Amino acid sequence: MQQPIAILDSGVGGLTVVKEVMRQLPQEKIVYFGDTARAPYGSRPAVEILLFTRQIVDYLVRFQPKMIVIACNTATAVALDTIRSQVSVPVLGVIHPGARAAIKTTRTGKVGVIGTLGTIRSGAYEHALQSISPGIEVVSTACPLLVPLVEKGLFGGKDARDVVERSLAPLREVPMDCLILGCTHYPFLSELIAEIMGPNVTLISSAEETAREASAILGHRGLLAGGKEMPEHRFFCSGDPGMFQKIAESWLHRNVHVTPFDWQIPHIV
Ligand code: DGL
Protein backbone atom coordinates (compact mmCIF):
# COMPACT_ATOMS: atom_id res chain seq x y z
CA MET A 1 0.00 0.00 0.00
CA GLN A 2 1.32 3.43 -0.92
CA GLN A 3 1.47 5.69 2.12
CA PRO A 4 -0.14 9.07 1.41
CA ILE A 5 0.86 12.60 2.27
CA ALA A 6 -1.85 14.00 4.55
CA ILE A 7 -2.72 17.65 3.96
CA LEU A 8 -5.15 19.67 6.06
CA ASP A 9 -6.70 23.08 6.25
CA SER A 10 -9.75 24.81 7.66
CA GLY A 11 -11.29 24.67 4.20
CA VAL A 12 -10.34 24.94 0.54
CA GLY A 13 -7.18 27.01 1.17
CA GLY A 14 -4.89 24.00 1.51
CA LEU A 15 -5.78 23.08 -2.08
CA THR A 16 -3.25 25.73 -3.11
CA VAL A 17 -0.61 23.51 -1.49
CA VAL A 18 -2.19 20.34 -2.91
CA LYS A 19 -1.84 21.79 -6.41
CA GLU A 20 1.88 22.35 -5.94
CA VAL A 21 2.41 18.92 -4.39
CA MET A 22 0.62 17.37 -7.37
CA ARG A 23 2.80 19.38 -9.75
CA GLN A 24 6.13 18.67 -8.07
CA LEU A 25 5.37 15.16 -6.83
CA PRO A 26 2.83 13.68 -9.24
CA GLN A 27 3.35 10.12 -7.99
CA GLU A 28 2.40 10.95 -4.42
CA LYS A 29 -0.98 9.96 -3.08
CA ILE A 30 -2.74 12.71 -1.12
CA VAL A 31 -5.36 12.52 1.60
CA TYR A 32 -6.84 15.98 2.15
CA PHE A 33 -9.07 17.24 4.92
CA GLY A 34 -10.87 20.59 4.66
CA ASP A 35 -12.75 21.51 7.81
CA THR A 36 -15.19 23.73 5.94
CA ALA A 37 -17.96 23.29 8.53
CA ARG A 38 -15.81 25.07 11.10
CA ALA A 39 -14.00 27.56 8.84
CA PRO A 40 -12.84 30.23 9.18
CA TYR A 41 -10.33 29.37 11.87
CA GLY A 42 -8.67 32.77 11.68
CA SER A 43 -10.81 34.58 14.22
CA ARG A 44 -11.11 31.67 16.67
CA PRO A 45 -9.20 31.47 19.97
CA ALA A 46 -5.91 29.59 19.87
CA VAL A 47 -7.18 26.76 22.13
CA GLU A 48 -9.95 26.02 19.68
CA ILE A 49 -7.63 26.05 16.66
CA LEU A 50 -5.31 23.67 18.48
CA LEU A 51 -8.18 21.35 19.38
CA PHE A 52 -9.55 21.30 15.81
CA THR A 53 -6.11 20.68 14.33
CA ARG A 54 -5.52 17.78 16.72
CA GLN A 55 -8.90 16.28 15.87
CA ILE A 56 -8.13 16.39 12.15
CA VAL A 57 -4.66 14.95 12.64
CA ASP A 58 -6.14 12.17 14.81
CA TYR A 59 -8.40 11.28 11.92
CA LEU A 60 -5.72 11.53 9.25
CA VAL A 61 -3.21 9.29 11.06
CA ARG A 62 -5.60 6.39 10.41
CA PHE A 63 -4.46 6.57 6.79
CA GLN A 64 -0.89 5.94 7.94
CA PRO A 65 0.53 8.99 6.18
CA LYS A 66 4.28 9.27 5.68
CA MET A 67 4.07 13.02 6.20
CA ILE A 68 1.53 15.56 7.44
CA VAL A 69 1.32 19.04 5.95
CA ILE A 70 -0.55 21.64 7.96
CA ALA A 71 -1.53 23.70 4.91
CA CYS A 72 -3.07 26.42 7.04
CA ASN A 73 -1.06 29.35 8.37
CA THR A 74 -3.39 29.88 11.31
CA ALA A 75 -3.08 26.26 12.44
CA THR A 76 0.66 26.30 11.72
CA ALA A 77 1.11 29.35 13.95
CA VAL A 78 -0.80 27.77 16.81
CA ALA A 79 -0.40 24.01 16.55
CA LEU A 80 2.72 23.02 14.59
CA ASP A 81 5.00 22.37 17.57
CA THR A 82 2.34 20.43 19.48
CA ILE A 83 1.44 18.23 16.52
CA ARG A 84 5.12 17.58 15.81
CA SER A 85 5.57 16.35 19.37
CA GLN A 86 2.59 14.01 19.07
CA VAL A 87 3.15 12.11 15.82
CA SER A 88 6.08 10.09 14.58
CA VAL A 89 6.10 11.29 10.94
CA PRO A 90 7.47 14.61 9.66
CA VAL A 91 5.00 17.47 10.06
CA LEU A 92 5.38 20.52 7.81
CA GLY A 93 3.85 23.93 8.30
CA VAL A 94 3.55 26.70 5.75
CA ILE A 95 4.98 29.72 7.57
CA HIS A 96 8.71 29.00 7.36
CA PRO A 97 8.46 28.02 3.68
CA GLY A 98 6.57 31.26 2.97
CA ALA A 99 9.14 33.30 4.87
CA ARG A 100 12.00 31.59 2.99
CA ALA A 101 10.36 32.28 -0.36
CA ALA A 102 10.00 35.97 0.55
CA ILE A 103 13.64 36.25 1.62
CA LYS A 104 14.73 34.73 -1.69
CA THR A 105 12.60 37.28 -3.56
CA THR A 106 12.97 40.61 -1.79
CA ARG A 107 15.59 43.04 -3.04
CA THR A 108 14.69 45.95 -0.76
CA GLY A 109 14.28 43.99 2.50
CA LYS A 110 10.79 45.45 2.93
CA VAL A 111 8.14 42.77 3.05
CA GLY A 112 4.38 42.88 3.59
CA VAL A 113 2.34 40.07 5.13
CA ILE A 114 -1.39 39.50 4.98
CA GLY A 115 -3.10 36.74 6.91
CA THR A 116 -5.91 35.88 9.26
CA LEU A 117 -6.29 37.62 12.61
CA GLY A 118 -4.82 34.56 14.33
CA THR A 119 -1.74 34.42 12.11
CA ILE A 120 -1.05 38.14 12.24
CA ARG A 121 -1.62 38.32 15.99
CA SER A 122 0.81 35.43 16.54
CA GLY A 123 3.68 37.38 14.95
CA ALA A 124 4.80 34.08 13.42
CA TYR A 125 5.84 35.60 10.09
CA GLU A 126 7.85 38.42 11.68
CA HIS A 127 9.57 35.83 13.79
CA ALA A 128 10.26 33.47 10.88
CA LEU A 129 11.46 36.29 8.60
CA GLN A 130 13.71 37.82 11.22
CA SER A 131 15.16 34.48 12.20
CA ILE A 132 16.31 34.00 8.60
CA SER A 133 17.22 37.60 7.88
CA PRO A 134 17.56 39.87 10.91
CA GLY A 135 16.90 43.48 10.00
CA ILE A 136 14.21 42.73 7.46
CA GLU A 137 11.34 45.21 7.65
CA VAL A 138 7.92 43.62 7.94
CA VAL A 139 4.50 45.26 7.79
CA SER A 140 1.51 43.04 8.38
CA THR A 141 -2.25 43.36 8.19
CA ALA A 142 -5.04 40.96 9.03
CA CYS A 143 -7.64 40.48 6.29
CA PRO A 144 -10.44 38.56 8.01
CA LEU A 145 -12.95 39.11 5.20
CA LEU A 146 -11.00 37.26 2.51
CA VAL A 147 -11.43 33.63 3.66
CA PRO A 148 -15.26 33.82 3.63
CA LEU A 149 -15.06 35.12 0.05
CA VAL A 150 -12.92 32.19 -1.04
CA GLU A 151 -15.06 29.61 0.75
CA LYS A 152 -18.02 30.94 -1.23
CA GLY A 153 -16.09 30.60 -4.48
CA LEU A 154 -16.04 34.38 -5.07
CA PHE A 155 -12.65 35.01 -6.68
CA GLY A 156 -13.56 37.95 -8.90
CA GLY A 157 -16.28 40.46 -9.70
CA LYS A 158 -17.13 43.81 -8.18
CA ASP A 159 -18.09 42.66 -4.68
CA ALA A 160 -14.96 40.57 -4.26
CA ARG A 161 -12.85 43.43 -5.60
CA ASP A 162 -14.35 45.89 -3.12
CA VAL A 163 -13.64 43.59 -0.20
CA VAL A 164 -10.06 42.91 -1.32
CA GLU A 165 -9.45 46.60 -1.94
CA ARG A 166 -10.70 47.57 1.51
CA SER A 167 -8.69 44.79 3.14
CA LEU A 168 -5.46 45.87 1.45
CA ALA A 169 -5.97 49.61 2.03
CA PRO A 170 -3.60 49.76 5.06
CA LEU A 171 -0.75 48.46 2.86
CA ARG A 172 -1.23 50.48 -0.30
CA GLU A 173 1.18 53.30 0.56
CA VAL A 174 3.66 51.18 2.49
CA PRO A 175 6.95 50.60 0.65
CA MET A 176 7.53 46.90 -0.04
CA ASP A 177 8.65 44.79 -2.96
CA CYS A 178 6.91 41.60 -1.97
CA LEU A 179 3.76 40.62 -0.18
CA ILE A 180 3.41 37.27 1.52
CA LEU A 181 -0.01 35.70 1.08
CA GLY A 182 0.09 34.42 4.64
CA CYS A 183 -3.11 32.43 4.35
CA THR A 184 -3.44 29.48 2.01
CA HIS A 185 -6.82 30.76 0.85
CA TYR A 186 -5.37 33.96 -0.62
CA PRO A 187 -3.78 32.55 -3.80
CA PHE A 188 -7.37 32.06 -5.03
CA LEU A 189 -7.58 35.87 -5.01
CA SER A 190 -4.10 36.52 -6.35
CA GLU A 191 -5.28 38.14 -9.59
CA LEU A 192 -7.25 40.75 -7.67
CA ILE A 193 -4.51 41.22 -5.08
CA ALA A 194 -1.86 41.66 -7.78
CA GLU A 195 -3.97 44.19 -9.61
CA ILE A 196 -4.55 46.22 -6.44
CA MET A 197 -0.94 46.08 -5.16
CA GLY A 198 0.50 46.93 -8.58
CA PRO A 199 3.36 45.56 -10.67
CA ASN A 200 6.15 46.47 -8.25
CA VAL A 201 4.97 44.08 -5.58
CA THR A 202 5.64 40.36 -6.06
CA LEU A 203 3.12 38.06 -4.42
CA ILE A 204 4.56 35.19 -2.40
CA SER A 205 2.62 32.02 -1.74
CA SER A 206 4.13 29.36 0.48
CA ALA A 207 2.72 26.52 -1.63
CA GLU A 208 5.69 26.07 -3.96
CA GLU A 209 8.32 26.20 -1.23
CA THR A 210 6.28 23.88 1.03
CA ALA A 211 6.03 21.27 -1.74
CA ARG A 212 9.78 21.63 -2.32
CA GLU A 213 10.42 21.00 1.37
CA ALA A 214 8.12 17.97 1.32
CA SER A 215 10.03 16.61 -1.65
CA ALA A 216 13.42 17.20 0.01
CA ILE A 217 12.40 15.50 3.26
CA LEU A 218 10.81 12.50 1.58
CA GLY A 219 13.79 12.19 -0.75
CA HIS A 220 16.21 12.33 2.14
CA ARG A 221 14.29 9.58 3.94
CA GLY A 222 14.01 7.42 0.82
CA LEU A 223 10.22 7.72 0.97
CA LEU A 224 9.40 9.25 -2.42
CA ALA A 225 6.74 7.31 -4.31
CA GLY A 226 7.85 5.56 -7.46
CA GLY A 227 5.95 3.77 -10.19
CA LYS A 228 4.04 5.00 -13.18
CA GLU A 229 0.47 4.62 -12.01
CA MET A 230 -1.39 7.79 -11.17
CA PRO A 231 -2.24 7.81 -7.47
CA GLU A 232 -5.83 7.98 -6.25
CA HIS A 233 -6.29 10.95 -3.98
CA ARG A 234 -8.92 11.28 -1.27
CA PHE A 235 -10.66 14.48 -0.22
CA PHE A 236 -12.70 14.86 2.96
CA CYS A 237 -14.73 17.92 3.80
CA SER A 238 -16.81 18.60 6.88
CA GLY A 239 -19.11 21.18 5.26
CA ASP A 240 -20.92 21.44 1.93
CA PRO A 241 -19.26 18.84 -0.33
CA GLY A 242 -20.80 20.37 -3.46
CA MET A 243 -19.13 23.74 -3.00
CA PHE A 244 -15.84 22.09 -2.00
CA GLN A 245 -15.91 19.90 -5.10
CA LYS A 246 -16.70 22.82 -7.39
CA ILE A 247 -13.80 24.89 -6.05
CA ALA A 248 -11.41 21.91 -5.97
CA GLU A 249 -12.16 20.85 -9.54
CA SER A 250 -11.76 24.32 -10.99
CA TRP A 251 -8.56 24.95 -9.02
CA LEU A 252 -6.94 21.57 -9.63
CA HIS A 253 -8.26 21.12 -13.19
CA ARG A 254 -9.29 17.52 -12.55
CA ASN A 255 -12.23 15.53 -11.28
CA VAL A 256 -12.34 15.39 -7.53
CA HIS A 257 -14.39 12.96 -5.50
CA VAL A 258 -15.29 14.44 -2.12
CA THR A 259 -16.27 12.35 0.89
CA PRO A 260 -18.49 14.28 3.30
CA PHE A 261 -17.33 14.14 6.89
CA ASP A 262 -19.55 14.67 9.92
CA TRP A 263 -17.88 15.40 13.24
CA GLN A 264 -20.88 13.90 15.07
CA ILE A 265 -20.45 10.43 13.59
CA PRO A 266 -17.55 8.15 14.56
CA HIS A 267 -15.49 7.43 11.48
CA ILE A 268 -13.65 4.52 10.01
CA VAL A 269 -11.17 4.76 7.14
N1 DGL B 1 -6.23 28.86 5.10
C1 DGL B 1 -5.98 29.14 6.44
C2 DGL B 1 -4.73 29.89 6.70
O1 DGL B 1 -3.80 29.73 5.95
C3 DGL B 1 -7.12 29.38 7.38
C4 DGL B 1 -8.05 30.46 7.11
C5 DGL B 1 -9.20 30.50 8.08
O2 DGL B 1 -9.84 29.46 8.26
O3 DGL B 1 -9.43 31.56 8.68
O4 DGL B 1 -4.61 30.61 7.66
Side-chain angles (χ1 to χ4, degrees):
M1 184 197 76
Q2 189 193 335
Q3 281 184 279
I5 299 176
I7 303 182
L8 63 107
D9 179 44
S10 64
V12 295
L15 295 172
T16 56
V17 177
V18 167
K19 190 173 188 169
E20 262 308 304
V21 172
M22 285 176 167
R23 193 180 69 81
Q24 293 185 34
L25 299 168
Q27 305 305 327
E28 296 296 338
K29 179 174 169 172
I30 293 167
V31 178
Y32 183 87
F33 194 105
D35 197 7
T36 50
R38 304 192 293 194
Y41 280 10
S43 314
R44 292 181 180 273
V47 279
E48 210 165 62
I49 297 164
L50 180 59
L51 172 70
F52 291 175
T53 309
R54 286 172 65 169
Q55 287 173 335
I56 299 171
V57 169
D58 279 351
Y59 181 65
L60 289 173
V61 291
R62 302 175 191 201
F63 295 89
Q64 299 175 10
K66 56 185 169 184
M67 168 177 277
I68 297 172
V69 181
I70 303 181
C72 171
N73 292 264
T74 315
T76 298
V78 170
L80 181 64
D81 293 342
T82 309
I83 302 296
R84 274 188 177 149
S85 69
Q86 289 173 344
V87 299
S88 56
V89 295
V91 183
L92 270 57
V94 282
I95 291 182
H96 271 271
R100 268 200 312 273
I103 299 286
K104 284 185 195 165
T105 307
T106 184
R107 295 283 164 264
T108 62
K110 297 181 200 306
V111 172
V113 182
I114 51 174
T116 66
L117 276 171
T119 301
I120 299 304
R121 231 186 257 140
S122 75
Y125 269 103
E126 281 84 349
H127 191 258
L129 286 161
Q130 265 144 16
S131 71
I132 307 170
S133 176
I136 193 146
E137 285 178 44
V138 188
V139 183
S140 34
T141 296
C143 301
L145 301 179
L146 301 192
V147 169
L149 273 186
V150 174
E151 287 293 330
K152 284 185 216 135
L154 300 174
F155 312 141
K158 187 181 175 317
D159 291 350
R161 192 179 213 290
D162 286 351
V163 173
V164 177
E165 214 157 36
R166 262 187 287 131
S167 301
L168 296 176
L171 296 179
R172 291 290 293 283
E173 303 306 322
V174 178
M176 67 179 73
D177 66 350
C178 59
L179 176 66
I180 299 177
L181 306 180
C183 170
T184 51
H185 281 72
Y186 298 171
F188 283 96
L189 299 167
S190 54
E191 256 177 52
L192 276 181
I193 298 172
E195 216 179 290
I196 292 163
M197 293 306 291
N200 299 327
V201 177
T202 305
L203 304 187
I204 308 287
S205 145
S206 44
E208 208 178 309
E209 191 74 16
T210 303
R212 208 171 290 132
E213 188 175 332
S215 171
I217 293 172
L218 293 176
H220 179 70
R221 294 183 166 222
L223 290 175
L224 284 169
K228 294 220 167 2
E229 271 181 42
M230 286 325 269
E232 258 187 53
H233 308 297
R234 297 187 73 173
F235 293 85
F236 294 90
C237 133
S238 61
D240 173 7
M243 179 53 91
F244 184 94
Q245 184 183 24
K246 192 172 153 216
I247 295 174
E249 290 189 338
S250 79
W251 182 253
L252 300 174
H253 306 296
R254 62 171 74 204
N255 293 333
V256 169
H257 175 74
V258 184
T259 308
F261 183 96
D262 187 340
W263 284 111
Q264 309 305 315
I265 301 170
H267 288 271
I268 48 166
V269 173

